[in-house]
Amino acid sequence: MLKFAYILLPLLFVSPLTALGDETPAASPTPTVTALDAEGAADQVVDADADGKGIFSPNVIDLVYLIAAVMFIRGIKGLTHPRTAVRGNLLAAVGMLVAVVVTLGSGGLSPWAIIAGLVVGGGYGAYKAVKVEMTEMPEMVALFNGFGGVASVFVAGAAMIYEPATLPGSIATAASGLIGAVTLTGSLIAYAKLQGIKWVPDGAIVPAQKLVNAVLLVAAIALAWWLAQSAGTSSGYVAYWLIVIVASLLGILLTTPIGGADMPVVIALLNSYSGLAACATGFVISNSVLIIAGSLVGASGIILCQIMCKAMNRSLWNVAFGTMGPSADTPDADEVYKTVKSSSPEEVAILFDSAQKAVIVPGYGMAVSQAQHAVRDLANLLESRGCRVDFAVHPVAGRMPGHMNVLLAEANIDYDRLREMDDINPELEQYDVALVIGANDVVNPVARTDPNSPIAGMPIIDVDKCRTVVIVKRSLSPGFAGIPNPLFAAENALMMFGDGKKAILELIAAIKEG
């Protein structure tokens, strides 16, 4: 499919661009009679070459949109497995490039303006994609969601000026402004929370905030009704931008109370919002490929949210409108950690020297220290010595969906060595050593033992059932849930304090030295 797209692209663009490059003076444009009004009172004469129409015919546009839609679907299909993820991502990206170029070309813009926009926007995007650290990938995704939301807001707003509004179009415009604005400000708050910006509120910022949110939502719906009733008038423009303002405030108030432990789900939810906003905007401007792409993003984002909520034993409603944090009777950390045993790389090396089966559990600490390549080297070293090594990946480990999978794939770790939580948990009693690198809440046994814990019922990786557990962490600081982890003080647990990458490199050196 990708090869077909590469072959088709030049064929689609050569003909119209060649015509543009022809320096032979063109004949005077011939006026074209388009239609008579309902009563046949007058002819409408339109200059087909001077009315600002684009360089692509309607048939070409429809064909390209169809191809782009197929490429989107095939691309998403490829993303379902790591072996085909890169190809799927590239396929969807090419489909989007084709759709963007043809859409811009159909609007009567200069080809040079299109190229300039692609170079500037694509160049900046490529630069950020190359320069961004893997630990900052969640922040980048949050910003992308926000950009998608604000683009929908402005496109829908511009359409009100240039196209006569109908009742269905006004409803779609209101939906685009509402969802797009919520996505924008919600994504910016999520970005700030992930960046650890201190001035961003963490919790409710107004009294009875949930009630205020409900009032704002009702106000936005009322403004949408006003917009629908005053479509095509100056009052309609005022109503639209009031919707954007109210929705922007709503996005802030909806996101500030959400705790860091829920941020992976929030990012997926905001991604879904950006898709729904794009879909609504597609109805506004009658663009089929935008409707299809937005629908795919919206639906896949909601499905991903549901999968992650199941992995956290929480409902989507609870994530979106609740909070996660320590309860009033949270055990004191000093009391929980009074029996913690610290260990050195040399002592841990002795454990691995006799181990037959080992499991590595990556967490956000591995991402922060960029230890994935050192972890790969450790796994290869252990396997060369006859120890079977598996990786147990929790669905919500890290700060975005699939964060750990991306890091391990970056280090070229074979996907067959990655085990899903439900698959490996029944076998963990058979493992000699579990090495936990920077994970906290996803291995906290309190989820099984304390019904009053904020993570009660959350499925975890049962590393405490292994014969020995080694935890690599900088300190005993709590995870996103803000509660201590009794695993660190368990009888079969050892703490190896330090930077994740440095600790793993020291462990590798100790194993090699015997």
Side-chain angles (χ1 to χ4, degrees):
M1 183 66 187
L2 187 58
K3 294 180 179 178
F4 175 73
Y6 287 147
I7 295 172
L8 184 61
L9 272 174
L11 297 180
L12 292 175
F13 299 141
V14 164
S15 177
L17 291 179
T18 302
L20 286 175
D22 189 356
E23 298 182 358
T24 303
S28 299
T30 302
T32 303
V33 177
T34 59
L36 291 174
D37 63 10
E39 298 180 358
D43 291 336
Q44 296 179 345
V45 180
V46 180
D47 187 338
D49 292 331
D51 64 352
K53 296 299 181 182
I55 60 178
F56 300 108
S57 68
N59 291 336
V60 170
I61 294 173
D62 291 341
L63 174 61
V64 172
Y65 281 175
L66 176 61
I67 294 172
V70 173
M71 295 174 77
F72 294 156
I73 296 171
R74 294 292 300 175
I76 292 178
K77 175 64 176 177
L79 294 176
T80 59
H81 196 284
R83 296 189 186 281
T84 57
V86 174
R87 184 175 58 193
N89 189 42
L90 180 60
L91 186 63
V94 172
M96 182 57 70
L97 174 64
V98 172
V100 168
V101 171
V102 172
T103 300
L104 293 175
S106 65
L109 294 177
S110 165
W112 296 112
I114 297 174
I115 293 173
L118 291 175
V119 169
V120 173
Y124 178 74
Y127 169 78
K128 293 298 292 184
V130 171
K131 296 295 291 185
V132 67
E133 300 289 345
M134 288 305 301
T135 53
E136 298 176 349
M137 192 61 69
E139 289 94 318
M140 187 174 184
V141 173
L143 285 180
F144 283 168
N145 294 338
F147 289 158
V150 72
S152 297
V153 167
F154 284 125
V155 171
M160 295 180 63
I161 300 174
Y162 293 101
E163 297 182 9
T166 61
L167 179 60
S170 298
I171 295 174
T173 300
S176 181
L178 173 60
I179 303 173
V182 168
T183 304
L184 170 62
T185 54
S187 297
L188 292 178
I189 294 297
Y191 170 83
K193 280 177 170 284
L194 291 171
Q195 284 284 81
I197 298 176
K198 295 183 179 179
W199 57 263
V200 176
D202 190 11
I205 59 179
V206 296
Q209 184 158 312
K210 292 184 179 180
L211 178 60
V212 173
N213 291 343
V215 171
L216 289 175
L217 180 59
V218 171
I221 295 174
L223 289 169
W225 178 84
W226 180 22
L227 172 61
Q229 295 299 314
S230 56
T233 67
S234 57
S235 297
Y237 305 144
V238 173
Y240 177 76
W241 292 110
L242 284 176
I243 290 173
V244 172
I245 294 173
V246 171
S248 297
L249 182 58
L250 180 61
I252 295 173
L253 296 181
L254 284 174
T255 313
T256 51
I258 299 176
D262 293 329
M263 204 50 65
V265 182
V266 172
I267 290 176
L269 184 60
L270 289 169
N271 181 254
S272 178
Y273 287 171
S274 68
L276 295 176
C279 180
T281 306
F283 282 105
V284 172
I285 62 176
S286 301
N287 186 285
S288 58
V289 76
L290 193 56
I291 296 172
I292 294 171
S295 300
L296 290 172
V297 173
S300 59
I302 290 294
I303 293 171
L304 182 57
C305 286
Q306 292 290 354
I307 293 173
M308 298 184 71
C309 285
K310 181 180 179 181
M312 298 170 66
N313 192 38
R314 306 184 68 199
S315 67
L316 184 57
W317 178 270
N318 181 261
V319 170
F321 300 102
T323 59
M324 175 180 281
S327 57
D329 56 351
T330 297
D332 182 69
D334 293 336
E335 182 67 21
V336 173
Y337 294 145
K338 64 182 180 181
T339 59
V340 166
K341 299 181 290 292
S342 180
S343 185
S344 66
E346 290 75 21
E347 293 172 332
V348 175
I350 295 174
L351 291 173
F352 279 110
D353 189 54
S354 58
Q356 297 298 312
K357 295 181 67 176
V359 60
I360 298 175
V361 182
Y364 185 66
M366 186 184 78
V368 172
S369 62
Q370 300 184 24
Q372 59 269 24
H373 297 282
V375 169
R376 174 203 59 200
D377 295 339
L378 172 63
N380 291 339
L381 175 62
L382 293 175
E383 290 196 333
S384 69
R385 292 170 172 254
C387 177
R388 172 184 166 181
V389 180
D390 292 319
F391 291 83
V393 181
H394 195 281
V396 295
R399 288 188 173 180
M400 65 177 290
H403 199 178
M404 296 301 105
N405 301 75
V406 172
L407 288 173
L408 297 175
E410 182 193 24
N412 294 321
I413 294 175
D414 192 347
Y415 180 75
D416 294 335
R417 296 160 74 176
L418 273 62
R419 304 281 301 277
E420 294 183 3
M421 174 180 59
D422 294 337
D423 178 43
I424 199 172
N425 267 348
E427 304 176 10
L428 285 178
E429 293 181 355
Q430 306 170 15
Y431 282 79
D432 300 302
V433 183
L435 181 63
V436 180
I437 308 173
N440 197 324
D441 297 328
V442 297
V443 294
N444 192 337
V446 165
R448 299 194 313 261
T449 60
D450 185 1
N452 297 318
S453 169
I455 62 172
M458 171 180 169
I460 64 167
I461 299 177
D462 299 327
V463 293
D464 56 313
K465 297 181 180 180
C466 297
R467 294 186 178 91
T468 306
V469 184
V470 179
I471 303 102
V472 178
K473 275 181 65 71
R474 291 178 180 270
S475 66
L476 293 172
S477 59
F480 286 144
I483 58 176
N485 189 343
L487 172 67
F488 301 164
E491 292 183 3
N492 63 334
L494 298 172
M495 296 294 301
M496 191 163 67
F497 293 104
D499 174 81
K501 182 177 181 179
K502 181 180 179 182
I504 298 301
L505 291 176
E506 291 176 349
L507 177 58
I508 292 174
I511 293 175
K512 289 181 177 179
E513 292 176 0

